[in-house]
């Protein structure tokens, strides 16, 4: 089924090459029929779509969803691009009806299906987003010279695309984010469920909520996490460890203003152990009645504390090379 | 009670000895905390540090030379040219007024005419002694005076606090931390005993804090949060009611007297928590009263109905007021605290300030050493007792850990609570192990005594060792990391002897002595305060950053071509352009490294004319060498930085020591709209004079090309550094 439609389309496309570009109305019909409002460009049909003269604006995204490229920006960008296209279509289901204004059509091209097309534009990286103005040039491949490239920036892609399109097409754009009803329903369901459960088991819930141990644990856990630079990892999106192409793995990086995800875990673990040992000294060791056992316990805890602290100092010394203090030198 | 015999040592009452010891310890702590902050004064001289302190210093000078009312009405026409700045209404006057009062007191009452600069330089160390004392009082409320003394010494020398309070770092934080601790101490005290007197003191110190530092919002939210948690836990009592209402009513009214704060306390969302809790505590008090009057069953109905009613009203009101625009939307700084990507996208100027960067773990350890792992122990011990005041430590600890992780400069507010918690932990340990009473009157055998004694000795000696080490760590960190004035750079000669790089002051002094008094100097905003303070010249933008567009204008002038830049320079009456260039000696904090921010900020205002992408190579690299993109090579900043740079290399390719890139000789930039007038010894500061329009009406490029051809040989002489006649 899929194959047949495709072949029919391609035959049609081949047929049409001779005649020239689509008219505005033909494209509008295509968009109306299509399930997504973004038309697909492939090696077979791009000439038909792009060769002039054109009576409409063309916006095209050249990208790939293929996993072999490992392109996070591609995956990030495409939905936002489609959102802009759909919003445009929602506002103008029958095209713009002004006299001097031209329609805009959105295209998407997947690299796996359109290698020649990408070659024609001499692309060596993706994603790329181009704009083609209405044109009277009817020469073959005349459109190549008319491309206006979109600059990728950090930020909300959809609004950035709209800003760009507004400047090149001088059309007004609105963004219609479709309301995700299932998500609202699921959220409402979960909230309701939780409330009902809380009401039914209110005694148990209150017990948990008023449990001192729980709150103590949570507070100390949070403190250990934050003081070991957890927020740094979150904000800078640091990798857990750093892998080199030759297979070596770095678990830490030098420098006081840098760290990897693993470091946070290690350091909060060390802090936790050290705190625990001090607590043992304060709370548990004095309770031991037998004097010899008490001495052994105190010695054990003190020595572990000493070793733990030296480990921390060694690690800190690795991070900041100028630091002169160590108790025991584990590493140079 | 039976009468207890008073203990006497050498015929002196034990209490007297205790008091004497405490006083001696306090004096020592103050001495230690002050002296460890004097490294920079001893090594360099009594000088104001960095950037912001230069503005505070200039404002203080204005205050002591004019009257207090003149100061509050101060319109500064020497900054933000041509806009000017309503300085009196846009600063926190607490710091300047404090130094002004000290200056007047010393001069008028004691007959000691001390230079205002010395007071400004030494204000922070002096206040650090006070901070230690207030920390003592606060910790004493939490545990006892033993813990208090430990907390005081920790606070005195912890690098996290020293980083902002060394001699010469004359910034708002210098007195703000003292006031923070004072406010918190009085709050705990008033909350514990329900005293209107202490509540009023809390409010007064809060007022002082509001007048001194924008971070007062931290107190404004922490105290209500503390009260809120207490209410949730059902720990409402009349003491709490008294303390909170006294603080809130007086504190809010007082804080509104500061011109810069004005009506914020009742309009901005930062202050809404305090207002909300104020309302809540009235309701709780009312409910408490009703409960004592009617049977329990009726009270339950009453509670449910009123809860629903209040929740509905409250949420509706908040939405309504925000929609009507009566209460301000959340400010940008507040957003960057919660959603850190917000600032990056919307406000490049916030992202460009290094103080807003997140904190990596070494910074925590660096600033607090072993206290960081004693901190959780202290929090645990607070949970064990869990009195009302302990909750305060816990909330403060958890909340501030988060904030310090998000923004490196908030380490400053985390440090006090780390000191308090760690002191609680260590003093608890010492309570257990220093208790030697069993050796005196217990019937246990010598063997038992020996083993117990040994275990105690072991633990005590190891912790004494750690404490000694803590002092070493703090002193090392203070001396090596936090004591450089950053106006003067310390360096080493090839033979290892210390060398001082004094380019900044050389250049600012040149400006002061060689340029017209009303000359306008354009530079990137980082140097605005220093130019105002040291060179006493009018600047276009400075570290106040209140007008993003104006900063973007300067950025645009720096990153566009000579023709575009010349128009901007002329439109803004600029006489001189000052840049920082580190390529000769390898100083990495120079303008080429900050250049991207200039581009980004100006792109935010002129997205059509400036494109960040144009300043990167095809492969997305930031280069200044032969492969540098056209926009880069044509930008005014690039040209000013590398102008005549090749002459240092005798006509060969020049090497930029910061970026380790070679600039080919054919890329040597030509300048036609600016004249080089001054370059400091190590080339760090370069000053250019803006040329006047050509006499014959040619554009400047043609004029300078003509001049160059006619002369044939260019005289390359170093500009004069002599004084103006």
């Amino acid at each position: 089924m899929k194959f047949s439609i495709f072949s029919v389309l391609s035959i049609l496309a081949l047929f049409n090459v001779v005649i020239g570009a689509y008219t505005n109305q033909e494209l509008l019909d295509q968009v109306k029929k299509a399930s997504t409002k973004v038309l697909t460009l492939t090696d077979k049909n791009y000439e038909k779509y792009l060769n002039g003269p054109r009576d409409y604006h063309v916006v095209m995204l050249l990208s790939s969803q293929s996993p072999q490229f490992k392109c996070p920006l591609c995956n990030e960008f495409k939905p936002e691009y489609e959102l802009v296209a759909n919003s445009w279509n929602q506002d103008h289901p029958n095209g713009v009806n002004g006299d001097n204004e031209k329609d805009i059509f959105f295209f998407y091209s997947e690299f796996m299906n359109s290698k020649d097309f990408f070659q024609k534009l001499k692309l060596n990286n993706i994603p790329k987003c181009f704009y083609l103005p209405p044109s009277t040039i009817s020469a073959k491949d005349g459109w190549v010279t008319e491309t206006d490239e979109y600059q990728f920036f950090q930020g909300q892609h959809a609004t950035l695309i709209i800003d760009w399109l507004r400047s090149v097409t001088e059309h007004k754009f609105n963004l219609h984010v479709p309301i995700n009803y299932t998500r609202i329903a699921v959220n409402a369901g979960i909230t309701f469920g939780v409330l009902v459960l809380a009401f039914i088991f209110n005694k148990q819930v209150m017990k948990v909520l008023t449990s001192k141990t729980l709150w103590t644990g949570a507070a100390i856990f949070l403190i250990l996490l934050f003081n070991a630079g957890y927020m740094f990892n979150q904000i800078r999106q640091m990798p857990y460890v750093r892998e080199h192409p030759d297979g070596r793995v770095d678990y830490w990086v030098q420098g006081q203003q840098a760290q990897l995800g693993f470091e946070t875990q290690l350091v909060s673990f060390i802090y936790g152990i050290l705190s625990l040992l001090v607590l043992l000294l304060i709370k548990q060791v004095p309770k031991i009645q037998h004097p010899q056992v008490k001495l052994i316990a105190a010695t054990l805890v003190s020595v572990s504390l000493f070793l733990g602290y030296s480990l921390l100092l060694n690690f800190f010394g690795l991070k900041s090379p100028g630091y002169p203090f160590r108790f025991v030198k584990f590493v140079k | 009670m039976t009468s207890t015999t008073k203990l006497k040592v050498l015929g002196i009452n034990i209490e007297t000895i205790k008091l004497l010891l405490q006083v001696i310890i306090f004096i020592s702590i103050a001495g230690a905390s002050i002296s460890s902050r004097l490294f920079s004064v001893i090594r360099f001289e009594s000088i104001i540090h960095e950037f912001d302190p230069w503005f505070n210093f200039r404002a203080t000078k204005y205050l002591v030379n004019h009257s207090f009312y003149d100061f509050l009405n101060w319109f500064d026409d020497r900054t933000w040219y041509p806009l000017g700045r309503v300085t009196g209404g846009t600063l926190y006057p607490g710091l300047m007024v404090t130094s002004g009062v000290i200056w007047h007191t010393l001069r008028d009452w004691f007959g000691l005419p001390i230079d205002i600069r010395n007071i400004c330089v030494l204000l922070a160390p002096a206040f650090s002694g006070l901070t230690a004392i207030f920390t003592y009082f606060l910790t004493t409320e939490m545990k006892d005076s033993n813990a208090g003394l430990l907390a005081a010494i920790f606070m005195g020398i912890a690098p996290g606090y020293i980083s902002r309070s060394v001699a010469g770092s004359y910034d708002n934080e210098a007195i703000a931390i003292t006031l923070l601790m004072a406010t918190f101490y009085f709050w705990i005290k008033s909350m514990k005993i329900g005293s209107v007197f202490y509540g009023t003191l809390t409010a007064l110190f809060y007022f002082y804090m509001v007048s001194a530092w924008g971070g007062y919002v931290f107190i404004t939210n922490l105290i209500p949060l503390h009260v809120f948690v207490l209410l949730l836990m059902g720990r409402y009592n009349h003491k709490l009611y008294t303390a909170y209402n006294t603080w809130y009513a007086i504190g809010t009214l007082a804080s509104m007297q500061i011109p810069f704060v004005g009506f914020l306390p009742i309009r901005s969302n930062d202050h809404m928590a305090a207002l909300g809790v104020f309302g809540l505590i009235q309701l709780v008090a009312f409910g408490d009263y009703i409960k004592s009057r009617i049977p329990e069953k009726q009270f339950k109905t009453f509670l449910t109905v009123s809860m629903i009613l209040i929740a509905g009203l409250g949420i509706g009101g908040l939405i309504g007021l925000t929609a009507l625009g009566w209460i301000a939307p959340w400010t940008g700084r507040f957003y960057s605290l919660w959603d850190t990507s917000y600032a990056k996208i919307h406000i490049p100027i916030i992202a460009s300030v290094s103080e807003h960067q997140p904190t990596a773990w070494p910074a925590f350890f660096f600033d607090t050493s072993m206290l960081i792992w004693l901190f959780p122990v202290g929090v645990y011990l607070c949970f064990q007792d869990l009195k009302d005041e302990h909750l305060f430590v816990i909330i403060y600890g958890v909340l501030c850990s988060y904030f310090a992780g998000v923004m490196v400069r908030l380490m400053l507010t985390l440090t006090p609570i780390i000191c308090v918690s760690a002191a609680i932990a260590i003093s608890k340990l010492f309570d257990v192990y220093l208790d030697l009473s069993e050796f005196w009157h217990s019937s246990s055998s010598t063997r038992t005594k020996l083993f117990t004694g040994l275990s105690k000795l072991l633990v005590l000696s190891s912790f004494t060792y750690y404490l000694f080490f803590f002092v070493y760590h703090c002193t090392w960190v203070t001396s090596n990391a936090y004591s450089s004035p950053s106006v003067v750079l310390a360096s080493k000669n090839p033979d290892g002897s210390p060398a001082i790089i004094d380019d900044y002051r050389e250049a600012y002094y040149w400006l002061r002595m060689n340029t017209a008094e009303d000359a306008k100097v354009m530079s990137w905003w980082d140097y605005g305060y220093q130019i105002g303070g040291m060179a006493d010249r009018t600047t276009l933008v400075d570290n106040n950053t209140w007008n993003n567009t104006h900063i973007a204008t300067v950025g645009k002038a720096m990153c566009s071509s000579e023709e575009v830049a010349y128009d901007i320079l002329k439109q803004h009456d600029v006489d001189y352009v000052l840049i920082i260039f580190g390529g000769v000696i390898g100083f990495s904090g120079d303008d080429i490294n900050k250049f991207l921010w200039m581009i980004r900020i100006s792109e935010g205002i002129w997205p059509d004319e400036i494109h960040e992408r144009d300043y990167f190579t095809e492969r997305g690299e930031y280069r200044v060498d032969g492969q540098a993109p056209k926009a880069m090579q044509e930008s005014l900043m690039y040209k000013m930085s590398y102008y005549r740079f090749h002459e240092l290399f005798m006509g060969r390719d020049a090497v930029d020591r910061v970026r380790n890139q070679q600039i080919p000789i054919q890329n040597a930039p030509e300048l036609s709209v600016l004249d080089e007038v001054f370059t400091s010894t190590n080339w760090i500061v370069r000053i250019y004079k803006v040329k006047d329009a050509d006499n014959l009406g040619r554009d400047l490029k043609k004029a300078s090309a003509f001049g160059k051809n006619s002369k044939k040989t260019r005289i390359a002489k170093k500009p004069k550094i002599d004084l103006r006649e």
Side-chain angles (χ1 to χ4, degrees):
Chain A
M1 183 70 186
K2 214 175 192 178
F3 175 73
S4 68
I5 287 177
F6 190 70
S7 55
V8 167
L9 267 177
S10 57
I11 291 164
L12 271 175
L14 277 171
F15 189 68
N16 279 331
V17 166
V18 199
I19 311 165
Y22 290 106
T23 65
N24 202 18
Q25 197 53 48
E26 281 170 337
L27 278 175
L28 266 178
D29 292 342
Q30 284 193 22
V31 170
K32 266 187 200 166
K33 269 181 231 158
S35 58
T36 63
K37 304 305 173 193
V38 179
L39 299 171
T40 312
L41 284 179
T42 60
D43 274 347
K44 302 214 170 80
N45 65 9
Y46 75 92
E47 292 192 310
K48 172 70 185 163
Y49 278 116
L50 301 178
N51 275 337
R54 297 180 306 270
D55 195 26
Y56 42 83
H57 303 274
V58 169
V59 184
M60 52 188 186
L61 173 64
L62 282 71
S63 174
S64 177
Q65 299 295 107
S66 162
Q68 78 184 68
F69 290 109
K70 286 184 187 162
C71 168
L73 185 60
C74 303
N75 299 329
E76 201 178 292
F77 194 78
K78 192 172 174 239
E80 308 241 341
Y81 178 78
E82 283 168 350
L83 179 64
V84 172
N86 291 339
S87 306
W88 170 258
N89 236 276
Q90 195 176 331
D91 284 347
H92 309 277
N94 298 312
V96 282
N97 297 320
D99 293 330
N100 302 321
E101 290 178 323
K102 307 270 164 89
D103 274 325
I104 305 176
F105 295 104
F106 292 85
F107 294 92
Y108 173 76
S109 181
E110 163 67 47
F111 175 71
M112 304 314 277
N113 304 328
S114 33
K115 290 181 179 151
D116 292 343
F117 177 40
F118 277 55
Q119 193 63 41
K120 189 142 272 173
L121 281 162
K122 300 196 179 80
L123 298 186
N124 48 18
N125 56 350
I126 51 168
K128 292 270 183 191
C129 189
F130 294 103
Y131 161 73
L132 298 177
S135 156
T136 50
I137 305 174
S138 56
K140 191 169 181 271
D141 295 342
W143 54 271
V144 176
T145 55
E146 296 173 307
T147 53
D148 181 359
E149 192 183 338
Y150 167 76
Q151 298 281 345
F152 285 88
F153 286 112
Q154 281 263 318
Q156 280 284 318
H157 293 305
T159 48
L160 290 171
I161 301 170
I162 283 180
D163 287 344
W164 174 64
L165 287 179
R166 193 178 289 138
S167 69
V168 290
T169 64
E170 291 170 3
H171 277 303
K172 275 186 189 153
F173 283 85
N174 297 312
L175 202 58
H176 303 286
V177 183
I179 299 167
N180 192 340
Y181 289 104
T182 44
R183 197 163 148 197
I184 292 177
V186 167
N187 280 350
I190 289 173
T191 317
F192 185 71
V194 167
L195 283 179
V196 167
L197 281 180
F199 194 74
I200 296 169
F201 298 102
N202 79 34
K203 273 199 182 123
Q204 285 86 338
V205 170
M206 281 316 281
K207 213 173 191 177
V208 171
L209 279 184
T210 51
S211 143
K212 201 154 103 177
T213 330
L214 188 86
W215 284 100
T216 315
I220 288 177
F221 177 73
L222 284 178
I223 286 176
L224 286 176
L225 211 58
F226 289 142
N227 288 348
Y230 175 73
M231 285 317 290
F232 185 92
N233 296 339
Q234 290 298 304
I235 292 168
R236 291 281 166 85
Q237 292 170 351
M238 298 307 287
Y240 184 67
V241 290
R242 182 171 289 166
E243 286 172 38
H244 291 280
D246 56 357
R248 281 180 303 125
V249 178
D250 281 346
Y251 292 97
W252 57 279
V253 285
Q254 205 174 59
Q256 285 217 11
Q257 272 90 41
Q259 65 175 25
L260 296 177
F262 175 75
E263 285 178 51
T264 298
Q265 285 189 2
L266 180 68
V267 168
S268 53
F269 178 72
I270 296 177
Y271 287 169
I273 292 288
L274 290 174
S275 305
L276 197 69
L277 288 172
V278 177
L279 270 181
L280 279 182
L281 277 182
I282 294 175
K283 292 277 171 191
Q284 296 305 321
V285 175
K287 282 187 192 158
I288 299 170
Q289 291 302 322
H290 198 286
Q292 272 112 320
V293 179
K294 195 175 185 172
L295 179 62
I296 292 168
T299 317
L300 265 179
V301 175
S302 294
V303 169
S304 329
L305 196 63
F306 183 77
L307 289 177
Y309 195 8
S310 359
L311 184 72
L312 182 64
L313 283 176
N314 274 290
F315 189 32
F316 183 72
L318 282 177
K319 294 281 287 181
S320 37
Y323 189 70
F325 304 114
R326 311 275 192 283
F327 294 157
V328 184
K329 267 199 178 171
F330 291 126
V331 281
K332 267 183 194 170
Chain B
M1 260 178 94
T2 54
S3 64
T4 49
T5 50
K6 279 187 178 170
L7 276 170
K8 287 195 176 187
V9 179
L10 299 171
I12 308 165
N13 197 334
I14 191 104
E15 290 301 319
T16 320
I17 292 182
K18 223 175 166 180
L19 190 71
L20 184 72
L21 271 177
Q22 274 192 358
V23 169
I24 292 173
I25 291 172
F26 266 133
I27 293 174
S28 317
I29 288 175
S33 56
I34 291 171
S35 54
S36 69
R37 283 166 169 80
L38 297 182
F39 277 109
S40 63
V41 171
I42 292 163
R43 276 192 208 145
F44 302 98
E45 61 187 286
S46 168
I47 183 185
I48 303 285
H49 292 189
E50 294 191 324
F51 306 108
D52 286 20
W54 276 101
F55 167 76
N56 298 329
F57 176 51
R58 188 162 152 256
T60 313
K61 274 206 291 197
Y62 188 90
L63 172 66
V64 295
N65 290 332
H66 300 74
S67 75
F68 178 64
Y69 291 105
D70 282 345
F71 176 67
L72 284 185
N73 289 322
W74 183 21
F75 180 81
D76 190 357
D77 57 356
R78 297 185 68 87
T79 53
W80 294 93
Y81 184 85
L83 309 169
R85 174 184 168 196
V86 193
T87 312
T90 56
L91 51 61
Y92 292 101
L95 183 71
M96 298 94 191
V97 172
T98 308
S99 345
V101 166
I102 294 174
W103 185 77
H104 277 294
T105 315
L106 288 177
R107 200 184 59 150
D108 302 345
W109 294 3
F110 295 94
L112 289 170
I114 293 180
D115 185 2
I116 185 71
R117 188 197 63 200
N118 285 326
I119 290 176
C120 293
V121 167
L122 295 175
L123 190 75
F127 266 79
S128 73
L130 289 177
T131 313
I133 291 173
F134 279 117
T135 315
Y136 163 81
F137 285 124
L138 180 66
T139 320
T140 309
E141 292 299 319
M142 299 298 168
K143 189 170 171 286
D144 50 21
S145 62
N146 298 349
L149 287 173
L150 274 168
I153 184 64
F154 288 161
M155 195 59 199
I157 61 171
Y161 173 38
I162 288 189
S163 66
R164 288 283 167 161
S165 61
V166 288
S169 130
Y170 179 57
D171 216 341
N172 291 334
E173 290 92 329
I175 64 169
I177 297 302
T178 314
L179 301 173
L180 191 76
M181 293 329 280
T183 316
F184 285 156
Y185 162 64
F186 286 119
W187 161 247
I188 294 296
K189 190 88 185 164
S190 70
M191 180 213 74
K192 263 174 136 177
I193 58 178
S195 136
V196 174
F197 172 68
Y198 278 107
T200 312
L201 277 180
T202 318
L204 285 181
F205 272 92
Y206 173 70
F207 165 65
Y208 193 1
M209 175 78 179
V210 176
S211 79
W213 193 39
Y216 75 86
V217 180
F218 178 57
I219 303 182
T220 322
N221 286 301
L222 193 63
I223 291 180
L225 187 63
H226 183 206
V227 174
F228 184 65
V229 172
L230 285 174
L231 292 182
L232 273 190
M233 293 174 71
R235 293 197 180 187
Y236 168 80
N237 57 40
H238 295 318
K239 291 174 186 172
L240 194 66
Y241 183 81
T242 315
Y244 186 76
N245 287 323
T246 315
W247 168 73
Y248 183 73
I250 300 178
T252 308
L253 280 178
S255 67
M256 284 159 75
Q257 308 309 312
I258 307 293
F260 191 32
V261 177
F263 280 91
L264 278 184
I266 51 169
R267 301 193 69 163
S268 110
N269 275 7
D270 292 355
H271 299 71
M272 282 306 123
L275 182 61
V277 170
F278 178 69
L280 185 68
I281 205 166
Q282 312 304 328
L283 295 176
V284 172
F286 182 65
D288 193 57
Y289 173 77
I290 300 282
K291 195 180 176 185
S292 65
R293 293 296 153 117
I294 56 172
E296 200 170 332
K297 207 176 170 198
Q298 280 176 0
F299 180 72
K300 264 193 173 164
T301 330
F302 167 78
L303 197 68
T304 330
V305 172
S306 49
M307 284 281 236
I308 293 166
L309 221 83
I310 289 162
L313 271 179
I315 295 168
L318 200 68
I319 294 170
L321 284 178
T322 316
L324 281 171
W326 283 24
I327 45 179
W330 307 74
T331 52
R333 193 191 303 196
F334 195 78
Y335 265 122
S336 70
L337 218 55
W338 295 106
D339 177 12
T340 41
S341 59
Y342 171 85
K344 234 183 218 161
I345 298 165
H346 298 280
I347 321 162
I349 201 147
I350 285 189
S352 78
V353 181
S354 62
E355 285 175 342
H356 293 285
Q357 307 299 327
T359 320
W361 79 264
F364 284 97
F365 184 78
F366 196 65
D367 276 354
T368 48
S369 183
M370 69 162 176
L371 305 185
I372 196 80
W373 52 263
L374 286 167
F375 177 31
V377 182
V379 171
Y380 178 83
L381 293 173
C382 283
F383 263 113
Q384 292 288 300
D385 284 354
L386 210 61
K387 287 192 199 127
D388 293 354
E389 63 267 26
H390 294 128
L391 265 172
F392 185 76
V393 175
I394 294 162
I395 296 169
Y396 186 173
V398 175
L399 212 62
C400 238
S401 293
Y402 169 75
F403 288 140
V406 172
M407 219 189 261
V408 69
R409 115 187 158 127
L410 293 177
M411 269 309 291
L412 188 69
T413 44
L414 176 66
T415 307
I417 201 62
I418 291 187
C419 292
V420 170
S421 306
I424 292 173
I426 291 223
S427 97
K428 189 89 183 178
L429 185 98
F430 283 176
D431 284 350
V432 174
Y433 286 89
L434 269 177
D435 181 13
L436 303 176
S437 54
E438 55 187 298
F439 291 98
W440 267 263
H441 37 67
S442 81
S443 48
S444 51
S445 65
T446 337
R447 225 174 110 83
T448 317
K449 276 183 184 171
L450 181 74
F451 279 113
T452 321
L454 265 179
S455 55
K456 283 189 173 178
L457 188 71
L458 183 75
V459 173
L460 284 177
S461 57
S462 65
F463 268 86
T464 318
Y465 178 70
Y466 296 151
L467 285 175
F468 267 103
F469 170 72
F470 175 69
V471 176
Y472 273 104
H473 174 97
C474 292
T475 317
W476 185 85
V477 169
T478 310
S479 148
N480 283 281
Y482 293 139
S483 293
S484 106
S486 90
V487 174
V488 184
L489 307 170
S491 156
K492 284 208 170 75
N493 288 325
D495 61 351
S497 61
I500 283 176
I501 296 171
D502 208 355
D503 283 39
Y504 286 106
R505 288 198 296 177
E506 186 191 338
Y508 294 140
Y509 195 64
W510 183 90
L511 268 181
R512 184 182 265 259
M513 303 314 279
N514 291 280
T515 61
E517 262 175 53
D518 61 347
K520 285 92 191 166
V521 182
M522 185 180 94
S523 71
W524 189 234
W525 61 265
D526 295 26
Y527 316 105
Y529 279 166
Q530 290 187 346
I531 294 172
M534 283 193 257
D536 193 25
R537 290 295 172 266
T538 308
T539 53
L540 262 68
V541 291
D542 64 28
N543 313 44
N544 184 245
T545 65
W546 67 274
N547 189 326
N548 193 25
T549 315
H550 214 49
I551 289 177
T553 310
V554 172
K556 190 184 170 194
M558 295 288 196
C559 60
S560 15
S561 65
E562 283 193 86
E563 294 78 32
V564 179
Y566 187 71
D567 288 340
I568 300 175
L569 296 179
K570 276 293 161 194
Q571 277 162 8
H572 290 84
D573 289 351
V574 176
D575 298 302
Y576 295 92
V577 184
L578 179 146
I579 59 154
I580 306 296
F581 175 62
V584 175
I585 58 159
F587 171 63
S588 63
D590 70 350
D591 277 348
I592 292 278
N593 276 0
K594 291 175 183 166
F595 194 34
L596 275 183
W597 290 114
M598 305 185 200
I599 298 163
R600 265 174 217 161
I601 290 168
S602 51
E603 185 180 3
I605 306 288
W606 292 279
D608 299 336
E609 298 174 55
I610 313 284
H611 303 287
E612 187 181 343
R613 190 71 193 73
D614 297 347
Y615 295 84
F616 285 102
T617 59
E618 280 291 303
R619 303 174 63 189
E621 292 164 319
Y622 184 67
R623 302 189 78 111
V624 295
D625 58 6
Q627 296 176 35
K630 188 161 158 280
M632 182 75 177
Q633 292 198 14
E634 283 189 349
S635 67
L636 197 66
M637 174 56 75
Y638 183 89
K639 289 190 165 185
M640 286 193 290
S641 292
Y642 296 107
Y643 182 63
R644 293 180 60 201
F645 186 43
H646 290 77
E647 289 174 23
L648 283 179
F649 296 86
M650 310 294 176
R652 285 193 302 270
D653 291 356
V655 180
D656 183 321
R657 293 216 180 103
V658 176
R659 291 153 281 271
N660 286 321
Q661 293 177 11
Q662 288 208 345
I663 296 127
I665 184 81
Q666 62 268 22
N667 281 31
E670 293 289 335
L671 268 175
S672 50
V673 300
L674 301 170
D675 269 331
E676 184 191 13
V677 287
F678 179 84
T679 293
S680 62
T681 319
N682 297 300
W683 285 56
I684 288 187
V685 187
R686 308 195 70 181
I687 302 172
Y688 291 87
K689 189 172 177 17
V690 181
K691 278 187 190 167
D692 283 332
D694 187 52
N695 279 339
L696 301 173
R698 298 169 294 188
D699 73 54
L700 284 167
K701 200 166 184 178
K702 277 185 194 152
S704 65
F706 178 76
K708 209 174 143 192
N709 287 338
S710 65
K711 258 187 227 160
K712 292 266 195 288
T713 52
R714 238 179 75 219
I715 309 155
K717 67 170 187 201
K718 203 149 199 267
K720 276 185 188 163
I721 317 180
D722 303 344
L723 303 188
R724 186 180 47 183
E725 310 266 300

